[in-house]
Amino acid sequence: MKEHHVWAWKGMGATLMVFALAVLIGAYVLHRPTPDRSIEATDLLTAFGAELKDVALLGSPETVSASLAQEYGAYLAPELLAAWQADPSLAPGRLTSSPWPDRIDVVSVTQVLEDRAYQAEVNVIEVAHGVSGEEEVSRYPASVRIEERAGKLLIAEFQKGEYTNLPARMVVEGEYICLPHRNQEGPQTLECAFGLQGDDGSYYALSFMLLSSTDWTSLSSGSRIRVEGPYAPDDGTSRYPIVGTISVTSLELLDQ
């Protein structure tokens, strides 16, 4: 009888240990950090942008539907693909033989932690044949939502904006500095927002969200650098006298 009770207690103890382990594993799964896949989201948009020129939106409904599925299917959530097949005017693509959509320039990608999603602002760049080759002739902005589906990132929403002269890609050389305040009157705070003073004297805010390397973390004030990336003009509300913000995709340290 005693031996029976001993085995019963041992079995109960093993059950409790298994239960406690399951609780710990469940807590870890629920609270583990969400990985930041912003770079993958940027790559997804860039790859998707390379397909735009291959989809002619003014063909027969059957042809357009098949082309959308073939060229865009790997990048889109199924419901977005179905919506575009039902109404191709909602989709990006080629409307005329010239100009045509050449690429997507990614302006920003923001992680939406609670939804395991990403919100991106982009520009669709359209080109035509010019004197010196293919030249940009028009562009329009778009707001894009990217969601994780079964571990894969897919475009779930793509809202096209009006044709406009929003963020262009720029290359600027200058000095990495603490940006001065726009208002120099009265007491000044001591915080330092680093940015770039171009060789033409203009000030730029810098965003390194799109930069795949962490080279920028070792920059010191006074370093001469060359940056490249999408540029968004400032609306005049910044506390610093910047002309705009460059989302850096390429950074080079220059000789002093």
Side-chain angles (χ1 to χ4, degrees), residues 72-99:
Y72 294 170
Y75 306 97
L76 305 183
E79 67 273 16
L80 181 59
L81 175 60
W84 286 358
Q85 288 175 318
D87 185 357
S89 69
L90 300 175
R94 184 190 286 266
L95 290 171
T96 60
S97 59
S98 182

PDB file of all heavy atoms in Angstrom, residues 72-99:
ATOM      1  N   TYR A  72       2.031  39.613 -59.758  1.00  0.00           N
ATOM      2  CA  TYR A  72       1.902  40.150 -58.409  1.00  0.00           C
ATOM      3  C   TYR A  72       1.561  39.097 -57.358  1.00  0.00           C
ATOM      4  O   TYR A  72       1.618  39.375 -56.156  1.00  0.00           O
ATOM      5  CB  TYR A  72       0.792  41.213 -58.371  1.00  0.00           C
ATOM      6  CG  TYR A  72       1.060  42.470 -59.154  1.00  0.00           C
ATOM      7  CD1 TYR A  72       0.042  43.406 -59.352  1.00  0.00           C
ATOM      8  CD2 TYR A  72       2.306  42.745 -59.701  1.00  0.00           C
ATOM      9  CE1 TYR A  72       0.257  44.575 -60.065  1.00  0.00           C
ATOM     10  CE2 TYR A  72       2.533  43.901 -60.432  1.00  0.00           C
ATOM     11  CZ  TYR A  72       1.505  44.818 -60.607  1.00  0.00           C
ATOM     12  OH  TYR A  72       1.731  45.964 -61.321  1.00  0.00           O
ATOM     13  N   GLY A  73       1.179  37.906 -57.796  1.00  0.00           N
ATOM     14  CA  GLY A  73       0.670  36.896 -56.862  1.00  0.00           C
ATOM     15  C   GLY A  73       1.592  36.579 -55.704  1.00  0.00           C
ATOM     16  O   GLY A  73       1.138  36.336 -54.579  1.00  0.00           O
ATOM     17  N   ALA A  74       2.893  36.595 -55.935  1.00  0.00           N
ATOM     18  CA  ALA A  74       3.842  36.239 -54.876  1.00  0.00           C
ATOM     19  C   ALA A  74       4.003  37.337 -53.830  1.00  0.00           C
ATOM     20  O   ALA A  74       4.574  37.092 -52.768  1.00  0.00           O
ATOM     21  CB  ALA A  74       5.204  35.920 -55.497  1.00  0.00           C
ATOM     22  N   TYR A  75       3.487  38.531 -54.117  1.00  0.00           N
ATOM     23  CA  TYR A  75       3.708  39.676 -53.233  1.00  0.00           C
ATOM     24  C   TYR A  75       2.457  40.120 -52.474  1.00  0.00           C
ATOM     25  O   TYR A  75       2.557  40.871 -51.507  1.00  0.00           O
ATOM     26  CB  TYR A  75       4.215  40.874 -54.053  1.00  0.00           C
ATOM     27  CG  TYR A  75       5.438  40.570 -54.878  1.00  0.00           C
ATOM     28  CD1 TYR A  75       5.320  40.239 -56.232  1.00  0.00           C
ATOM     29  CD2 TYR A  75       6.709  40.599 -54.312  1.00  0.00           C
ATOM     30  CE1 TYR A  75       6.439  39.957 -56.994  1.00  0.00           C
ATOM     31  CE2 TYR A  75       7.829  40.317 -55.071  1.00  0.00           C
ATOM     32  CZ  TYR A  75       7.689  39.993 -56.412  1.00  0.00           C
ATOM     33  OH  TYR A  75       8.797  39.711 -57.170  1.00  0.00           O
ATOM     34  N   LEU A  76       1.279  39.683 -52.912  1.00  0.00           N
ATOM     35  CA  LEU A  76       0.026  40.222 -52.399  1.00  0.00           C
ATOM     36  C   LEU A  76      -0.722  39.226 -51.528  1.00  0.00           C
ATOM     37  O   LEU A  76      -0.689  38.010 -51.763  1.00  0.00           O
ATOM     38  CB  LEU A  76      -0.901  40.632 -53.553  1.00  0.00           C
ATOM     39  CG  LEU A  76      -0.357  41.615 -54.586  1.00  0.00           C
ATOM     40  CD1 LEU A  76      -1.455  41.936 -55.600  1.00  0.00           C
ATOM     41  CD2 LEU A  76       0.165  42.883 -53.937  1.00  0.00           C
ATOM     42  N   ALA A  77      -1.439  39.763 -50.522  1.00  0.00           N
ATOM     43  CA  ALA A  77      -2.409  38.956 -49.796  1.00  0.00           C
ATOM     44  C   ALA A  77      -3.535  38.576 -50.768  1.00  0.00           C
ATOM     45  O   ALA A  77      -3.882  39.357 -51.656  1.00  0.00           O
ATOM     46  CB  ALA A  77      -2.958  39.744 -48.609  1.00  0.00           C
ATOM     47  N   PRO A  78      -4.104  37.390 -50.620  1.00  0.00           N
ATOM     48  CA  PRO A  78      -5.114  36.926 -51.593  1.00  0.00           C
ATOM     49  C   PRO A  78      -6.275  37.889 -51.776  1.00  0.00           C
ATOM     50  O   PRO A  78      -6.761  38.076 -52.899  1.00  0.00           O
ATOM     51  CB  PRO A  78      -5.580  35.594 -50.992  1.00  0.00           C
ATOM     52  CG  PRO A  78      -4.427  35.119 -50.167  1.00  0.00           C
ATOM     53  CD  PRO A  78      -3.797  36.359 -49.607  1.00  0.00           C
ATOM     54  N   GLU A  79      -6.730  38.527 -50.684  1.00  0.00           N
ATOM     55  CA  GLU A  79      -7.886  39.428 -50.817  1.00  0.00           C
ATOM     56  C   GLU A  79      -7.550  40.684 -51.607  1.00  0.00           C
ATOM     57  O   GLU A  79      -8.405  41.238 -52.309  1.00  0.00           O
ATOM     58  CB  GLU A  79      -8.440  39.799 -49.432  1.00  0.00           C
ATOM     59  CG  GLU A  79      -7.536  40.663 -48.565  1.00  0.00           C
ATOM     60  CD  GLU A  79      -6.554  39.865 -47.726  1.00  0.00           C
ATOM     61  OE1 GLU A  79      -6.346  38.665 -48.026  1.00  0.00           O
ATOM     62  OE2 GLU A  79      -5.997  40.444 -46.772  1.00  0.00           O
ATOM     63  N   LEU A  80      -6.289  41.163 -51.525  1.00  0.00           N
ATOM     64  CA  LEU A  80      -5.906  42.339 -52.305  1.00  0.00           C
ATOM     65  C   LEU A  80      -5.798  41.973 -53.784  1.00  0.00           C
ATOM     66  O   LEU A  80      -6.237  42.740 -54.656  1.00  0.00           O
ATOM     67  CB  LEU A  80      -4.582  42.913 -51.802  1.00  0.00           C
ATOM     68  CG  LEU A  80      -4.098  44.174 -52.527  1.00  0.00           C
ATOM     69  CD1 LEU A  80      -5.125  45.298 -52.412  1.00  0.00           C
ATOM     70  CD2 LEU A  80      -2.742  44.629 -51.979  1.00  0.00           C
ATOM     71  N   LEU A  81      -5.223  40.819 -54.086  1.00  0.00           N
ATOM     72  CA  LEU A  81      -5.153  40.367 -55.474  1.00  0.00           C
ATOM     73  C   LEU A  81      -6.557  40.246 -56.066  1.00  0.00           C
ATOM     74  O   LEU A  81      -6.808  40.688 -57.193  1.00  0.00           O
ATOM     75  CB  LEU A  81      -4.420  39.027 -55.558  1.00  0.00           C
ATOM     76  CG  LEU A  81      -4.367  38.372 -56.941  1.00  0.00           C
ATOM     77  CD1 LEU A  81      -3.671  39.269 -57.947  1.00  0.00           C
ATOM     78  CD2 LEU A  81      -3.672  37.008 -56.860  1.00  0.00           C
ATOM     79  N   ALA A  82      -7.483  39.677 -55.304  1.00  0.00           N
ATOM     80  CA  ALA A  82      -8.852  39.519 -55.788  1.00  0.00           C
ATOM     81  C   ALA A  82      -9.509  40.882 -56.036  1.00  0.00           C
ATOM     82  O   ALA A  82     -10.232  41.062 -57.025  1.00  0.00           O
ATOM     83  CB  ALA A  82      -9.670  38.708 -54.785  1.00  0.00           C
ATOM     84  N   ALA A  83      -9.246  41.853 -55.153  1.00  0.00           N
ATOM     85  CA  ALA A  83      -9.824  43.195 -55.317  1.00  0.00           C
ATOM     86  C   ALA A  83      -9.289  43.859 -56.577  1.00  0.00           C
ATOM     87  O   ALA A  83     -10.044  44.522 -57.314  1.00  0.00           O
ATOM     88  CB  ALA A  83      -9.522  44.043 -54.087  1.00  0.00           C
ATOM     89  N   TRP A  84      -8.008  43.695 -56.846  1.00  0.00           N
ATOM     90  CA  TRP A  84      -7.420  44.298 -58.040  1.00  0.00           C
ATOM     91  C   TRP A  84      -7.901  43.603 -59.310  1.00  0.00           C
ATOM     92  O   TRP A  84      -8.072  44.241 -60.353  1.00  0.00           O
ATOM     93  CB  TRP A  84      -5.908  44.262 -57.948  1.00  0.00           C
ATOM     94  CG  TRP A  84      -5.353  45.274 -56.978  1.00  0.00           C
ATOM     95  CD1 TRP A  84      -6.067  46.178 -56.256  1.00  0.00           C
ATOM     96  CD2 TRP A  84      -3.984  45.481 -56.650  1.00  0.00           C
ATOM     97  NE1 TRP A  84      -5.221  46.943 -55.478  1.00  0.00           N
ATOM     98  CE2 TRP A  84      -3.934  46.541 -55.706  1.00  0.00           C
ATOM     99  CE3 TRP A  84      -2.795  44.883 -57.035  1.00  0.00           C
ATOM    100  CZ2 TRP A  84      -2.745  47.011 -55.156  1.00  0.00           C
ATOM    101  CZ3 TRP A  84      -1.593  45.336 -56.492  1.00  0.00           C
ATOM    102  CH2 TRP A  84      -1.575  46.390 -55.571  1.00  0.00           C
ATOM    103  N   GLN A  85      -8.092  42.304 -59.241  1.00  0.00           N
ATOM    104  CA  GLN A  85      -8.616  41.591 -60.405  1.00  0.00           C
ATOM    105  C   GLN A  85     -10.044  42.036 -60.718  1.00  0.00           C
ATOM    106  O   GLN A  85     -10.444  42.106 -61.879  1.00  0.00           O
ATOM    107  CB  GLN A  85      -8.554  40.080 -60.169  1.00  0.00           C
ATOM    108  CG  GLN A  85      -7.139  39.521 -60.208  1.00  0.00           C
ATOM    109  CD  GLN A  85      -7.083  38.053 -59.861  1.00  0.00           C
ATOM    110  OE1 GLN A  85      -7.761  37.597 -58.932  1.00  0.00           O
ATOM    111  NE2 GLN A  85      -6.278  37.286 -60.594  1.00  0.00           N
ATOM    112  N   ALA A  86     -10.806  42.362 -59.663  1.00  0.00           N
ATOM    113  CA  ALA A  86     -12.173  42.837 -59.860  1.00  0.00           C
ATOM    114  C   ALA A  86     -12.204  44.272 -60.374  1.00  0.00           C
ATOM    115  O   ALA A  86     -13.097  44.644 -61.143  1.00  0.00           O
ATOM    116  CB  ALA A  86     -12.954  42.728 -58.548  1.00  0.00           C
ATOM    117  N   ASP A  87     -11.218  45.087 -59.964  1.00  0.00           N
ATOM    118  CA  ASP A  87     -11.156  46.489 -60.383  1.00  0.00           C
ATOM    119  C   ASP A  87      -9.695  46.885 -60.603  1.00  0.00           C
ATOM    120  O   ASP A  87      -9.042  47.391 -59.697  1.00  0.00           O
ATOM    121  CB  ASP A  87     -11.794  47.388 -59.329  1.00  0.00           C
ATOM    122  CG  ASP A  87     -11.867  48.849 -59.780  1.00  0.00           C
ATOM    123  OD1 ASP A  87     -11.374  49.165 -60.886  1.00  0.00           O
ATOM    124  OD2 ASP A  87     -12.412  49.671 -59.021  1.00  0.00           O
ATOM    125  N   PRO A  88      -9.151  46.644 -61.797  1.00  0.00           N
ATOM    126  CA  PRO A  88      -7.732  46.921 -62.069  1.00  0.00           C
ATOM    127  C   PRO A  88      -7.334  48.381 -61.895  1.00  0.00           C
ATOM    128  O   PRO A  88      -6.141  48.672 -61.748  1.00  0.00           O
ATOM    129  CB  PRO A  88      -7.564  46.476 -63.533  1.00  0.00           C
ATOM    130  CG  PRO A  88      -8.636  45.471 -63.748  1.00  0.00           C
ATOM    131  CD  PRO A  88      -9.792  45.966 -62.933  1.00  0.00           C
ATOM    132  N   SER A  89      -8.296  49.307 -61.883  1.00  0.00           N
ATOM    133  CA  SER A  89      -7.943  50.719 -61.703  1.00  0.00           C
ATOM    134  C   SER A  89      -7.349  50.991 -60.324  1.00  0.00           C
ATOM    135  O   SER A  89      -6.698  52.008 -60.109  1.00  0.00           O
ATOM    136  CB  SER A  89      -9.174  51.603 -61.910  1.00  0.00           C
ATOM    137  OG  SER A  89     -10.120  51.431 -60.866  1.00  0.00           O
ATOM    138  N   LEU A  90      -7.570  50.078 -59.393  1.00  0.00           N
ATOM    139  CA  LEU A  90      -7.020  50.238 -58.044  1.00  0.00           C
ATOM    140  C   LEU A  90      -5.555  49.824 -57.977  1.00  0.00           C
ATOM    141  O   LEU A  90      -4.860  50.158 -57.008  1.00  0.00           O
ATOM    142  CB  LEU A  90      -7.823  49.394 -57.044  1.00  0.00           C
ATOM    143  CG  LEU A  90      -9.315  49.712 -56.921  1.00  0.00           C
ATOM    144  CD1 LEU A  90      -9.987  48.704 -55.987  1.00  0.00           C
ATOM    145  CD2 LEU A  90      -9.520  51.130 -56.418  1.00  0.00           C
ATOM    146  N   ALA A  91      -5.095  49.103 -58.983  1.00  0.00           N
ATOM    147  CA  ALA A  91      -3.755  48.518 -58.958  1.00  0.00           C
ATOM    148  C   ALA A  91      -2.730  49.430 -59.620  1.00  0.00           C
ATOM    149  O   ALA A  91      -3.056  50.187 -60.537  1.00  0.00           O
ATOM    150  CB  ALA A  91      -3.767  47.167 -59.667  1.00  0.00           C
ATOM    151  N   PRO A  92      -1.472  49.355 -59.172  1.00  0.00           N
ATOM    152  CA  PRO A  92      -0.397  50.012 -59.918  1.00  0.00           C
ATOM    153  C   PRO A  92      -0.028  49.163 -61.124  1.00  0.00           C
ATOM    154  O   PRO A  92      -0.193  47.942 -61.107  1.00  0.00           O
ATOM    155  CB  PRO A  92       0.745  50.059 -58.893  1.00  0.00           C
ATOM    156  CG  PRO A  92       0.523  48.849 -58.038  1.00  0.00           C
ATOM    157  CD  PRO A  92      -0.975  48.666 -57.964  1.00  0.00           C
ATOM    158  N   GLY A  93       0.459  49.805 -62.166  1.00  0.00           N
ATOM    159  CA  GLY A  93       0.846  49.059 -63.354  1.00  0.00           C
ATOM    160  C   GLY A  93       0.977  49.994 -64.545  1.00  0.00           C
ATOM    161  O   GLY A  93       0.920  51.217 -64.412  1.00  0.00           O
ATOM    162  N   ARG A  94       1.126  49.408 -65.716  1.00  0.00           N
ATOM    163  CA  ARG A  94       1.333  50.188 -66.932  1.00  0.00           C
ATOM    164  C   ARG A  94      -0.004  50.575 -67.554  1.00  0.00           C
ATOM    165  O   ARG A  94      -0.821  49.714 -67.883  1.00  0.00           O
ATOM    166  CB  ARG A  94       2.159  49.369 -67.935  1.00  0.00           C
ATOM    167  CG  ARG A  94       2.521  50.124 -69.206  1.00  0.00           C
ATOM    168  CD  ARG A  94       3.111  49.171 -70.231  1.00  0.00           C
ATOM    169  NE  ARG A  94       4.462  48.765 -69.916  1.00  0.00           N
ATOM    170  CZ  ARG A  94       5.568  49.349 -70.384  1.00  0.00           C
ATOM    171  NH1 ARG A  94       5.465  50.393 -71.198  1.00  0.00           N
ATOM    172  NH2 ARG A  94       6.746  48.891 -70.058  1.00  0.00           N
ATOM    173  N   LEU A  95      -0.227  51.879 -67.693  1.00  0.00           N
ATOM    174  CA  LEU A  95      -1.450  52.376 -68.321  1.00  0.00           C
ATOM    175  C   LEU A  95      -1.237  52.760 -69.777  1.00  0.00           C
ATOM    176  O   LEU A  95      -2.178  52.743 -70.573  1.00  0.00           O
ATOM    177  CB  LEU A  95      -1.985  53.589 -67.550  1.00  0.00           C
ATOM    178  CG  LEU A  95      -2.560  53.290 -66.159  1.00  0.00           C
ATOM    179  CD1 LEU A  95      -2.843  54.581 -65.417  1.00  0.00           C
ATOM    180  CD2 LEU A  95      -3.829  52.457 -66.280  1.00  0.00           C
ATOM    181  N   THR A  96      -0.015  53.133 -70.129  1.00  0.00           N
ATOM    182  CA  THR A  96       0.326  53.527 -71.497  1.00  0.00           C
ATOM    183  C   THR A  96       1.665  52.908 -71.851  1.00  0.00           C
ATOM    184  O   THR A  96       2.393  52.403 -70.990  1.00  0.00           O
ATOM    185  CB  THR A  96       0.417  55.061 -71.627  1.00  0.00           C
ATOM    186  OG1 THR A  96       1.433  55.545 -70.734  1.00  0.00           O
ATOM    187  CG2 THR A  96      -0.912  55.723 -71.277  1.00  0.00           C
ATOM    188  N   SER A  97       2.019  52.989 -73.139  1.00  0.00           N
ATOM    189  CA  SER A  97       3.327  52.466 -73.541  1.00  0.00           C
ATOM    190  C   SER A  97       4.443  53.348 -73.009  1.00  0.00           C
ATOM    191  O   SER A  97       5.553  52.878 -72.736  1.00  0.00           O
ATOM    192  CB  SER A  97       3.406  52.374 -75.064  1.00  0.00           C
ATOM    193  OG  SER A  97       3.200  53.658 -75.653  1.00  0.00           O
ATOM    194  N   SER A  98       4.160  54.635 -72.825  1.00  0.00           N
ATOM    195  CA  SER A  98       5.135  55.575 -72.262  1.00  0.00           C
ATOM    196  C   SER A  98       4.375  56.772 -71.680  1.00  0.00           C
ATOM    197  O   SER A  98       3.492  57.326 -72.351  1.00  0.00           O
ATOM    198  CB  SER A  98       6.113  56.044 -73.342  1.00  0.00           C
ATOM    199  OG  SER A  98       7.077  56.918 -72.802  1.00  0.00           O
ATOM    200  N   PRO A  99       4.648  57.153 -70.418  1.00  0.00           N
ATOM    201  CA  PRO A  99       5.643  56.566 -69.518  1.00  0.00           C
ATOM    202  C   PRO A  99       5.156  55.247 -68.919  1.00  0.00           C
ATOM    203  O   PRO A  99       3.998  54.874 -69.091  1.00  0.00           O
ATOM    204  CB  PRO A  99       5.785  57.645 -68.436  1.00  0.00           C
ATOM    205  CG  PRO A  99       4.447  58.290 -68.380  1.00  0.00           C
ATOM    206  CD  PRO A  99       3.953  58.305 -69.796  1.00  0.00           C
TER     207      PRO A  99
END
